[in-house]
Amino acid sequence: MGTAASCSAGRAGSALSVDAARLRAVAVATPVAGAETLHLDEAAGRVLAAPVLAVSALPPFDNSAMDGYAIRLSDLTGDGPWHLPVSARIAAGDGRRLILPQGSAARIFTGAPIPLEADAVVIQEQVSRVGDSVTLTQRPRAGQNIRRQGEDMAHGAPALDAGVALSPPRLALLAGCGVAEVAVRPKVRVAILSTGNELAEPGRALGPGQIYNSNRVLLRATLAGLSWVALSDLGILPDDPACIRAAIRDAARGHDVVISSGGVSAGEEDHILDALRAEAAELDVLKVAIRPGKPLTVGRLGAALYVGLPGNPYAAAITFSQIAQPALRRVAGLLEEPDNWLPAIAGFRYRRSTGRREYVPVVWTERDPMGRPILDRLGPGASAALSPMARAMGIAVIPPDVDAVHPGMPLPVMLLCP
Ligand code: AMP
Ligand code: MG
């Protein structure tokens, strides 16, 4: 693996399957080394570099799950109703270490420490209180409405594993366990660049033969959503071999990942592959049996992971999500795979040529009796088109060997976040 001349990289007509290409891209991605220590307030979305142990048990002490009365079950002798004097009042934050006197109940509120010897809390709706005593008619279960110390997380137990991203619920768990700081992987330094003499940035008038650069903003916005990315936007490069070569060489020196768009096909104006070869890059993926997006390069340029996306916007978006993003996640040190696939069924007909896995932009308004979305196809999903992917609720996947899609056919759909 890893030679530009190798057929196994997907050259000479032997396109790699999408799964094989993804596996290769992930295999050549090296996780960023080292760690930095961050306060929880700064750590949202970052990737844990080491497991985190609970500093404190969660909850830290036995406490009441409800507003009510703490009692000793052993006081409820014979058949009810039972009358108990109220001997104490315990609110949340009460620091006293109380012992519930035998033959009494303690007024207690949610989150308040359970007095020693009490073994159940009866909710206030189930007792009648007259003056300083309460009457119970039903025998409570042992431990009823008591949240036990450490039942959520034991003191010293592993709260989170290395390689997970710190989502809001995970940060909340760490906070609850008394963890204030975490060791996270350094940010992944990602450089993006667009190639093409025809490209202009929106906000400027188009010259003859020009189009607006949509890939730059697509990649920028996608990467901006990843807290573990430190992004460098290297702008637009002209289709000039020397210029491209110098730019990718410099980018690879200061970044962990370089992502370009355009210029990866075999055309005379496609200079990325030649530039990569001239810089002695090792190319692990060259051609993928994917529609849209067959021309696609993944390899190593110096110490950096290089991803050459196709120029066509829909092809760039699909190949980024299916092949580049898993590799990027690996560089970040992430060990968990997101699963945003859903079983669905086609609501459309479509005849196609076989050989490539196809990603079709879809919407749906109805579901079948099993709850599966019934998919409508949005136009032909042409690799240059922007409107279908902008309107899509998801992307359906057609396996390489399927030559016709018909209504009712099961198809998985990848959900897209708005
Ligand atoms: P290429 O891969 O460079 O041959 O480009 C394939 C097609 O994608 C051409 O029609 C390009 O004009 C178009 N294209 C390339 N880069 C971009 C970009 N950054 N934004 C929008 N379209 C692009
Ligand atoms: Mg081009």
Side-chain angles (χ1 to χ4, degrees):
M1 208 182 4
T3 149
S6 159
C7 287
S8 69
R11 268 208 116 189
S14 66
L16 291 171
S17 73
V18 176
D19 293 334
R22 180 189 298 120
L23 282 176
R24 263 187 206 197
V26 171
V28 297
T30 321
V32 283
E36 55 183 291
T37 301
L38 294 182
H39 189 271
L40 289 192
D41 290 349
E42 312 298 322
R46 298 294 295 274
V47 180
L48 279 182
V52 185
L53 307 182
V55 172
S56 160
L58 181 62
F61 51 87
D62 292 357
N63 68 91
S64 181
M66 301 293 272
D67 290 346
Y69 292 85
I71 57 144
R72 294 175 176 225
L73 287 170
S74 57
D75 286 338
L76 309 184
T77 50
D79 292 330
W82 301 275
H83 307 286
L84 297 168
V86 178
S87 59
R89 185 177 187 280
I90 315 169
D94 191 326
R96 294 172 295 168
R97 189 119 178 93
L98 296 175
I99 301 174
L100 181 63
Q102 210 172 352
S104 75
R107 178 71 171 125
I108 196 162
F109 300 93
T110 306
I114 301 291
L116 293 175
E117 307 298 337
D119 47 14
V121 170
V122 185
I123 63 171
Q124 60 196 19
E125 291 80 359
Q126 286 175 357
V127 305
S128 50
R129 176 160 182 170
V130 179
D132 278 344
S133 73
V134 285
T135 303
L136 279 66
T137 50
Q138 282 173 4
R139 183 184 296 277
R141 278 181 298 105
Q144 182 174 304
N145 297 318
I146 296 178
R147 301 189 285 218
R148 292 293 178 195
Q149 176 184 47
E151 73 177 20
D152 202 351
M153 187 65 62
H155 173 249
L160 291 176
D161 293 329
V164 305
L166 291 168
S167 62
R170 288 169 177 173
L171 286 164
L173 169 65
L174 295 185
C177 294
V179 175
E181 290 185 331
V182 280
V184 298
R185 294 266 190 178
K187 284 192 178 185
V188 179
R189 299 163 303 159
V190 181
I192 57 169
L193 52 96
S194 319
T195 70
N197 288 341
E198 74 278 32
L199 300 179
E201 288 300 338
R204 303 218 173 147
L206 286 179
Q210 286 196 310
I211 61 166
Y212 286 121
N213 182 1
S214 53
N215 289 344
R216 191 185 70 81
V217 78
L218 174 100
L219 289 173
R220 227 187 132 108
T222 306
L223 294 164
L226 305 172
S227 320
W228 41 265
V229 165
L231 185 66
S232 307
D233 185 346
L234 305 185
I236 299 172
L237 295 182
D239 292 316
D240 172 75
C243 181
I244 286 180
R245 187 175 163 187
I248 64 172
R249 181 180 56 221
D250 290 349
R253 286 201 185 120
H255 296 91
D256 304 302
V257 182
V258 180
I259 305 175
S260 61
S261 80
V264 276
S265 317
E268 278 168 37
E269 290 300 332
D270 297 317
H271 305 298
I272 292 285
L273 289 180
D274 286 345
L276 285 167
R277 289 194 185 104
E279 287 299 317
E282 292 189 53
L283 304 182
D284 300 277
V285 175
L286 281 167
K287 207 181 204 182
V288 184
I290 184 170
R291 185 186 148 100
K294 187 152 66 175
L296 167 75
T297 296
V298 181
R300 280 156 296 169
L301 179 56
L305 177 75
Y306 193 95
V307 180
L309 300 174
N312 277 311
Y314 184 49
I318 290 297
T319 52
F320 178 83
S321 79
Q322 298 305 296
I323 291 158
Q325 193 143 356
L328 205 55
R329 291 172 61 84
R330 179 89 186 107
V331 179
L334 281 163
L335 294 175
E336 46 181 7
E337 290 281 322
D339 183 354
N340 54 348
W341 293 96
L342 209 66
I345 59 167
F348 60 91
R349 280 182 200 285
Y350 174 37
R351 290 202 70 82
R352 65 187 287 275
S353 45
T354 57
R356 293 199 265 165
R357 183 187 287 180
E358 183 163 351
Y359 292 79
V360 177
V362 290
V363 289
W364 59 91
T365 50
E366 284 174 78
R367 291 179 181 248
D368 76 355
M370 288 168 66
R372 295 175 300 181
I374 303 170
L375 308 176
D376 266 339
R377 181 167 167 241
L378 278 168
S383 62
L386 285 162
S387 318
M389 75 168 173
R391 288 167 52 213
M393 292 163 70
I395 307 292
V397 175
I398 307 174
D401 55 339
V402 167
D403 66 354
V405 176
H406 47 78
M409 185 169 157
L411 290 177
V413 68
M414 172 174 67
L415 296 176
L416 298 178
C417 299

